[in-house]
Amino acid sequence: MKKLSVPDVPDRLLLDLRTECNLRCPMCLLHGDIDEKDGDKKEAAIGKMELHESAKILDEVMHAKPLIQPSMWGEPLLAKNLEDHIKAMKSRDIAVCFNTNGLTLRPPMAEFFVENELDSIFFSLV
């Protein structure tokens, strides 16, 4: 049997900057269809990544140039200092792509994405 090599850093890295969301999509495992009794479980799952925390991770993986997706369980447009996070990624020559519902996207942020050459953005519609 041939052994396959495993990279030190994956080609794609999900870096959840904020696990909070402004929607309750029924297919979402974290935010969708939460009963009142599950409210404590949801609150415990809410997290916010500070800029210094993400910078440390970026410094560790930048040599591999993975595609960074700053969203997993939350709405990335709600992330504190999203612009600073994206600038930190792009300054390390890392590709950035994310999914959003786009509800809080305003012209200044859209212009920021263009000016800072966001690699791709996907809009999810329910």
Side-chain angles (χ1 to χ4, degrees):
M1 181 158 81
K2 181 181 176 183
K3 289 186 179 182
L4 299 175
S5 64
V6 177
D8 292 334
V9 177
D11 294 337
R12 182 178 71 145
L13 183 65
L14 301 173
L15 190 65
D16 214 356
L17 301 178
R18 184 166 180 163
T19 54
E20 197 168 18
C21 189
N22 53 345
L23 292 180
R24 300 295 170 258
C25 300
M27 70 287 215
C28 179
L29 298 174
L30 183 61
H31 300 290
D33 239 5
I34 293 182
D35 293 334
E36 289 297 317
K37 62 182 167 70
D38 291 335
D40 293 339
K41 199 182 327 177
K42 178 188 165 243
E43 283 302 314
I46 301 284
K48 299 170 185 149
M49 185 175 291
E50 297 296 330
L51 188 59
H52 71 276
E53 296 167 325
S54 67
K56 182 179 176 185
I57 294 169
L58 294 173
D59 288 341
E60 292 177 16
V61 302
M62 66 183 276
H63 70 278
K65 305 279 187 246
L67 168 69
I68 300 283
Q69 290 184 258
S71 58
M72 190 166 92
W73 291 111
E75 170 53 48
L77 295 178
L78 298 179
K80 180 181 173 185
N81 302 324
L82 179 61
E83 296 96 334
D84 294 330
H85 283 283
I86 291 174
K87 284 179 184 177
M89 294 170 198
K90 297 304 286 180
S91 72
R92 290 166 174 83
D93 199 28
I94 295 175
V96 182
C97 164
F98 66 80
N99 298 340
T100 178
N101 59 42
L103 294 177
T104 62
L105 182 62
R106 300 292 179 261
M109 182 64 78
E111 290 169 12
F112 170 83
F113 291 155
V114 171
E115 290 167 3
N116 288 274
E117 300 179 4
L118 187 71
D119 295 279
S120 65
I121 184 168
F122 297 92
F123 292 91
S124 297
L125 305 173
V126 177

